Amino acid sequence: IRYKNRELQILQELNQVNVVRIKNYFYTIGKNDNEKYLNVVMDYLPESLYQIIKYSNNAHNKTFLSYDEIKLYSYQMFHALYYLESIGICHRDIKPQNILLNTTTKVLQFCDFGSAKRLKKDEPNVSYICSRYYRAPELIFNAVNYSNAIDVWSVGCVIAEMILGYPLFQGDSSIDQLAEIIKVLGTPSRDEITSMNPHYTQYKFPLIKCYTLREVFHRHAYLGEDFFDLMLRILIYEPNKRIKPLDALAHPFFDSIREKGKYNKD
């Protein structure tokens, strides 16, 4: 059968506890002979992070996720990113809906690799990728030579959402999304724009009142200095300055996870 499916090829390669693993696959034919459907059998995880956050919002301000759980799930996300980067694959659509959870075992897995791609140096990629609320700023600036740093940005947005209960940056359009980011990070400088996309030529931005990350999370007094330090290393305009997954795993924010042996890599 001469049939190529990039997602299937990537799924067949994945073998790490924090990404979905394929067990089997088969094809079925639709009503017409030219309708061929790929069916994939994978591990079953009962819930998504999106559902958990939604439950939390409906719990009358009761925190559904504990601070330890937020740390544990964040740690596993970076472990998945480190693995994917090591095999040259960028997920390109990390969001709560694409993160599965087993709340009993506390295991987290990235799923839905339909947008994933093996990034190659000097090979352009589409910039209109990743769901809007989790899109790294270089994608909004139409960069085509981006890196796995876009996944790191997305994970930072997901971590913030686990705490806030809603997306950190909620834009109605790409331009509005950028405005939401500017509200927190400030207006990007010419050098920062060049680092995101050296071919971008427009440098005029509206003056927007900015908030600090501390103001964004002001209702959550339990957040310590390590949390803000990590987030400030994630939510950076320049992709090459964004924290690497391995460095994130070694960050003091996760000291309690490592010391208590709450997480064992596979």
Side-chain angles (χ1 to χ4, degrees):
I1 299 173
R2 300 188 69 181
Y3 184 87
K4 270 196 169 184
N5 184 291
R6 186 164 67 192
E7 181 176 10
L8 176 61
Q9 291 173 333
I10 288 174
L11 286 173
Q12 288 175 307
E13 186 176 346
L14 300 178
N15 185 26
Q16 199 266 350
V17 68
N18 298 127
V19 294
V20 291
R21 287 183 274 198
I22 188 170
K23 290 186 173 293
N24 199 359
Y25 71 94
F26 57 92
Y27 296 100
T28 52
I29 304 298
K31 294 180 180 179
N32 303 316
D33 289 344
N34 63 342
E35 291 181 352
K36 183 183 286 186
Y37 297 98
L38 170 65
N39 303 269
V40 179
V41 182
M42 293 176 286
D43 288 328
Y44 172 70
L45 275 77
E47 295 179 284
S48 72
L49 186 55
Y50 174 78
Q51 291 172 306
I52 297 298
I53 293 171
K54 190 175 180 181
Y55 295 157
S56 180
N57 280 343
N58 292 333
H60 303 294
N61 296 324
K62 294 178 182 177
T63 304
F64 201 85
L65 285 169
S66 70
Y67 196 34
D68 276 350
E69 285 175 320
I70 289 168
K71 285 187 179 184
L72 183 59
Y73 293 145
S74 300
Y75 188 82
Q76 291 181 72
M77 283 190 273
F78 279 116
H79 209 276
L81 287 191
Y82 174 61
Y83 169 73
L84 291 175
E85 186 178 52
S86 72
I87 60 174
I89 290 172
C90 188
H91 187 284
R92 304 200 302 176
D93 196 19
I94 293 171
K95 57 184 177 180
Q97 291 91 332
N98 289 343
I99 299 172
L100 300 178
L101 290 179
N102 184 325
T103 53
T104 302
T105 63
K106 306 299 183 186
V107 170
L108 171 149
Q109 288 187 343
F110 287 163
C111 68
D112 192 348
F113 282 76
S115 296
K117 185 182 180 184
R118 188 180 298 283
L119 300 183
K120 296 178 182 178
K121 192 176 181 181
D122 300 323
E123 180 182 293
N125 308 288
V126 295
S127 60
Y128 195 74
I129 198 79
C130 193
S131 299
R132 186 188 305 133
Y133 294 166
Y134 313 92
R135 294 184 80 205
E138 59 265 38
L139 298 176
I140 302 174
F141 282 97
N142 301 319
V144 294
N145 294 112
Y146 47 81
S147 68
N148 286 66
I150 68 168
D151 282 351
V152 173
W153 176 279
S154 297
V155 163
C157 293
V158 172
I159 293 172
E161 190 166 341
M162 282 195 289
I163 295 167
L164 295 170
Y166 53 84
L168 175 59
F169 305 117
Q170 299 185 67
D172 296 328
S173 63
S174 287
I175 298 299
D176 194 38
Q177 186 68 18
L178 180 59
E180 292 299 311
I181 293 171
I182 289 174
K183 283 179 184 178
V184 177
L185 301 192
T187 302
S189 67
R190 185 180 291 260
D191 287 343
E192 287 173 329
I193 294 170
T194 300
S195 73
M196 290 186 279
N197 182 2
H199 305 293
Y200 197 83
T201 56
Q202 297 175 5
Y203 298 103
K204 292 183 179 179
F205 297 96
L207 291 173
I208 298 173
K209 178 177 169 57
C210 295
Y211 304 89
T212 65
L213 272 181
R214 293 180 187 278
E215 288 175 298
V216 171
F217 293 100
H218 74 279
R219 294 179 182 273
H220 305 273
Y222 57 88
L223 298 173
E225 291 301 315
D226 289 336
F227 168 79
F228 288 106
D229 184 78
L230 177 61
M231 292 299 285
L232 288 170
R233 294 171 188 268
I234 296 170
L235 301 176
I236 296 174
Y237 282 122
E238 303 103 312
N240 60 331
K241 291 185 180 179
R242 223 167 277 153
I243 195 168
K244 300 290 185 185
L246 184 60
D247 293 329
L249 290 169
H251 193 276
F253 180 66
F254 297 118
D255 282 353
S256 61
I257 300 297
R258 292 190 303 271
E259 289 166 3
K260 294 177 183 177
K262 289 183 178 179
Y263 176 74
N264 295 312
K265 66 180 182 179
D266 188 340

